[in-house]
Amino acid sequence: MTKQDIQRIIGSSIKAIVRNRDSFVDFPESIEVEVPKRREFGDFSTNVAIVIAKKLGKKPREVAEVLIQNFPKEADTLFKKIEVAGAGFINFFLRDEVIIEKLKEINRLGVEFGKSDLGGGERVIVEFVSANPTGYLHIGHARNAAFGDSLSNILSAVGFDVTREFYINDAGRQIELLGLSVYRRYQELFGFEVNMPEDGYYGDYIRELAEEVKEIKGDSLLREDESRAVEFCKEYAKDRLLEEIKKDLAAFGVVFDSWYSEYNELHRPLNRFGGKSRIEFVMDKLRQAGAVEEREGALWFKASDFGDSQDWVLVRRDGSPTYFLSDIAYHYDKVERGFKRLINVWGADHHSHVSRLKASFKALGLDDSCLHVVLIQFVRLMSGGEEVSMSKRAGSYVSMREVMEEVGRDVMRFFLVMRSSESHLDFDLDLAKKESSENPVYYIQYAHARIGSVFEKARERKLFPSDKHLNLLTLPEEMDIIKKLIAFPEIVKESALSLSPHKLAFYLQGLASDFHVYYNRTRIIVEDFALSSARLYFINCIKTVIKNGLGLLGVSAPERM
């Protein structure tokens, strides 16, 4: 029994009411069905009678009564009671046998429980992390990675055809500064006194890269034209750092389907565009749309004509394209590749970029509603109540690798998705290393492992789960947990549609807490063989849901702890 089942029953009743009226009544666009916070208000509740009362010219409570009278016969087999409450809310109380029967569905579906065809195979591209290959990934990138990968898992689970993409920012000033920084450190290795570029890179990893260049090239770059020497250092450093980025992400459980090079895909001339680059092609389309204007030697996008608050530079006075123009071309290509939904996971500092990008969609004649941007707030790494902000090797930040080595992948991933992306996150290193109920991911994993240990004891006594006596599950806490298990597919759908993996993390914390309370109060293995087999069947369903949920968040479900 899901919210959709309730909505279907209500919808059938509304259609019956409309058929019995002479005049047409608009069908509500959506029927809101909620799970009440208080048990006395039932298992499900809807305000639909209040919503449609005015259209029917009746009081909400009268409409609620009429709706109940027109429910299909199926309702009698599903609900032990349906009542009208308050201003006209309809509360539904499920029959116990209907609730318990759902355990069979969980057991039958196993790893598939929680999945659905909500997305209908729609092609979705989720672009996340997309860090400049100028250094190691830091804790902020890690939050972006955990969020993007978990969201991709969840979207796939509800039937979307998901592509994970990393956009490689391998063109522009930052990459040039990387090459120059490495070359200067390379010169230092031969005793030269150098001036590092003002906005260059200073971490120990730059010296390490320079030493690698020395091993490969010896002193030959000193005899090269400097621009060619810097170019070599740039390409070598970029490729090496990208290799390290891929290594860190793989260790974090994140594997991309596509690595999209800004330089190769956007800046290089392509035959399909008649020898023009993709950036030049898109620039021509913006000109044709009348969306470009020259001002003081630069070319501007007239974003204010398309809903933005101001205009933006596309091509600088020196003829070089801005990052914004590259981004327009990149997103135009996403649409050209056939993706129907474009999801970008960006840092919160990109807030102003969203409206101008949507304006560019309008200028190019694209539907900007296909673009969904999730802004990830900043992370502070805390230890002993104080912020940890420096790393000797990386320079000005703590690398993702360092944190992962200290707390482990599972803890790191869960901690980084257990809060809304809109909330700033304090990552507590001390809490992350605790193996106690204070640590939320440990608490959830321990519930899974605890069930595993119960099954070991059951096997020793030759006891096995069975669905033959599920009617013996009569404790109120058993009913409450089963209702929570039943809600799992809905939680996955809600997490997908709202782009909010933290909802799933919150759900798992609640389920684990309910199980631990139940376990501490109730003996699973008792003298009554039938009751033992029913409770084993019940907790195995809990184990299934915990494992499935953790899997969507990229977190393991250990059998022993």
Side-chain angles (χ1 to χ4, degrees):
M1 173 56 60
T2 65
K3 289 182 181 179
Q4 280 85 356
D5 294 322
I6 306 286
Q7 288 167 336
R8 177 174 49 78
I9 289 169
I10 295 169
S12 174
S13 179
I14 292 175
K15 288 177 181 177
I17 294 171
V18 171
R19 280 197 302 268
N20 293 331
R21 289 176 59 88
D22 294 332
S23 59
F24 176 77
V25 177
D26 288 338
F27 196 90
E29 290 185 9
S30 62
I31 298 171
E32 186 177 322
V33 175
E34 297 295 337
V35 176
K37 293 181 180 179
R38 292 167 59 179
R39 185 184 296 174
E40 61 264 33
F41 294 146
D43 300 303
F44 296 97
S45 182
T46 180
N47 66 347
V48 67
I50 299 170
V51 173
I52 66 174
K54 191 173 182 180
K55 294 178 180 179
L56 294 172
K58 294 180 178 292
K59 294 179 179 179
R61 288 186 66 89
E62 293 178 28
V63 173
E65 295 289 355
V66 173
L67 282 169
I68 294 170
Q69 291 167 13
N70 283 276
F71 281 163
K73 291 182 179 179
E74 172 191 5
D76 294 334
T77 62
L78 295 175
F79 307 109
K80 59 186 174 185
K81 183 171 68 171
I82 303 173
E83 66 176 19
V84 181
F89 290 92
I90 302 176
N91 297 335
F92 300 85
F93 297 78
L94 289 169
R95 292 184 181 276
D96 290 351
E97 58 268 29
V98 171
I99 296 170
I100 292 172
E101 191 68 19
K102 277 292 180 178
L103 291 176
K104 295 180 182 178
E105 180 183 335
I106 297 171
N107 183 69
R108 175 175 56 82
L109 291 174
V111 295
E112 297 297 308
F113 183 68
K115 296 182 180 180
S116 67
D117 60 358
L118 176 72
E122 180 178 286
R123 293 190 66 203
V124 176
I125 183 168
V126 183
E127 182 232 319
F128 58 107
V129 185
S130 298
N132 293 339
T134 54
Y136 294 99
L137 298 178
H138 54 61
I139 188 67
H141 294 131
R143 187 180 192 189
N144 191 300
F147 180 96
D149 192 56
S150 298
L151 178 61
S152 297
N153 291 338
I154 291 167
L155 289 168
S156 295
V158 299
F160 288 98
D161 180 5
V162 178
T163 294
R164 295 164 168 82
E165 184 156 279
F166 187 113
Y167 177 66
I168 308 168
N169 300 116
D170 54 0
R173 176 170 167 74
Q174 297 306 314
I175 293 292
E176 299 299 328
L177 285 169
L178 172 68
L180 184 57
S181 299
V182 172
Y183 181 64
R184 291 288 180 253
R185 294 304 187 200
Y186 168 82
Q187 289 177 307
E188 280 186 338
L189 295 175
F190 293 96
F192 288 85
E193 289 189 14
V194 300
N195 292 318
M196 290 293 289
E198 185 178 344
D199 297 324
Y201 297 90
Y202 292 84
D204 283 358
Y205 70 97
I206 296 296
R207 286 191 176 86
E208 293 169 7
L209 289 168
E211 288 169 358
E212 291 177 20
V213 170
K214 181 183 177 183
E215 287 181 21
I216 296 167
K217 303 294 285 185
D219 64 355
S220 64
L221 290 186
L222 298 174
R223 297 188 294 276
E224 290 273 6
D225 176 79
E226 181 167 302
S227 63
R228 293 178 62 183
V230 170
E231 181 68 18
F232 177 87
C233 290
K234 178 186 78 173
E235 290 300 318
Y236 179 81
K238 177 192 71 176
D239 291 343
R240 279 288 290 112
L241 287 170
L242 191 58
E243 183 182 315
E244 293 299 314
I245 287 171
K246 289 182 178 181
K247 190 184 299 182
D248 285 352
L249 288 169
F252 200 47
V254 178
V255 178
F256 284 89
D257 303 299
S258 170
W259 294 79
Y260 190 102
S261 165
E262 178 187 355
Y263 177 76
N264 290 329
E265 298 293 340
L266 302 181
H267 291 265
R268 284 196 315 132
L270 300 171
N271 290 333
R272 62 174 293 198
F273 298 128
K276 291 184 176 181
S277 68
R278 198 179 302 276
I279 282 178
E280 290 170 325
F281 172 77
V282 168
M283 189 66 184
D284 287 344
K285 291 190 76 67
L286 289 170
R287 282 194 183 97
Q288 292 163 14
V292 178
E293 183 174 272
E294 184 175 348
R295 300 179 198 166
E296 300 176 354
L299 295 178
W300 290 69
F301 170 49
K302 297 190 290 184
S304 56
D305 289 353
F306 300 93
D308 198 12
S309 59
Q310 68 181 82
D311 298 340
W312 302 91
V313 176
L314 295 175
V315 180
R316 303 179 185 91
R317 293 177 187 176
D318 63 5
S320 61
T322 61
Y323 176 82
F324 178 42
L325 178 54
S326 298
D327 221 22
I328 295 173
Y330 172 45
H331 285 82
Y332 186 83
D333 182 48
K334 287 182 182 180
V335 176
E336 287 286 284
R337 282 185 277 160
F339 293 107
K340 302 301 181 186
R341 192 175 302 214
L342 320 181
I343 300 174
N344 295 344
V345 184
W346 288 347
D349 54 339
H350 287 73
H351 183 271
S352 64
H353 196 60
V354 178
S355 58
R356 56 174 155 165
L357 188 57
K358 281 185 169 284
S360 75
F361 272 54
K362 294 173 184 174
L364 291 167
L366 304 176
D367 180 6
D368 69 314
S369 68
C370 73
L371 176 64
H372 306 268
V373 178
V374 181
L375 297 173
I376 303 290
Q377 289 294 336
F378 301 107
V379 184
R380 289 196 310 168
L381 197 62
M382 308 297 290
S383 180
E386 296 184 356
E387 184 175 1
V388 181
S389 59
M390 297 289 285
S391 163
K392 184 177 185 297
R393 187 164 187 243
S396 60
Y397 57 86
V398 179
S399 73
M400 170 179 167
R401 185 180 300 179
E402 289 171 294
V403 180
M404 188 162 35
E405 288 173 350
E406 190 160 351
V407 305
R409 183 173 93 182
D410 284 346
V411 172
M412 190 172 177
R413 284 195 62 137
F414 192 88
F415 270 49
L416 291 171
V417 297
M418 68 180 182
R419 298 281 181 269
S420 166
S421 60
E422 299 172 354
S423 303
H424 289 275
L425 177 64
D426 284 350
F427 190 107
D428 189 334
L429 280 170
D430 303 318
L431 177 61
K433 288 184 280 189
K434 282 186 177 181
E435 294 186 355
S436 71
S437 59
E438 295 177 72
N439 182 331
V441 66
Y442 178 87
Y443 196 54
I444 298 167
Q445 289 179 318
Y446 183 48
H448 186 272
R450 208 172 204 181
I451 294 171
S453 69
V454 172
F455 274 96
E456 285 185 7
K457 293 175 183 175
R459 282 190 290 271
E460 290 172 5
R461 298 180 58 174
K462 295 188 170 23
L463 290 170
F464 300 95
S466 170
D467 62 2
K468 291 181 180 178
H469 305 286
L470 295 181
N471 61 303
L472 297 177
L473 300 172
T474 58
L475 296 177
E477 51 264 48
E478 289 170 339
M479 290 296 108
D480 288 344
I481 292 176
I482 297 172
K483 290 174 188 177
K484 188 161 279 186
L485 297 176
I486 294 170
F488 178 63
E490 291 292 332
I491 294 296
V492 178
K493 288 178 184 176
E494 288 176 16
S495 299
L497 293 176
S498 62
L499 310 181
S500 303
H502 75 276
K503 292 184 177 180
L504 177 55
F506 182 76
Y507 166 86
L508 290 171
Q509 287 177 266
L511 177 60
S513 176
D514 289 351
F515 167 73
H516 286 303
V517 170
Y518 172 75
Y519 178 89
N520 291 329
R521 291 179 179 173
T522 311
R523 290 182 61 194
I524 309 298
I525 300 174
V526 293
E527 294 302 318
D528 186 332
F529 175 88
L531 181 57
S532 295
S533 66
R535 285 181 175 167
L536 287 170
Y537 194 93
F538 165 55
I539 65 169
N540 189 55
C541 290
I542 299 173
K543 187 169 181 274
T544 294
V545 171
I546 289 175
K547 185 174 183 177
N548 291 357
L550 287 175
L552 292 176
L553 298 178
V555 177
S556 70
E559 292 292 332
R560 294 182 180 86
M561 289 179 71

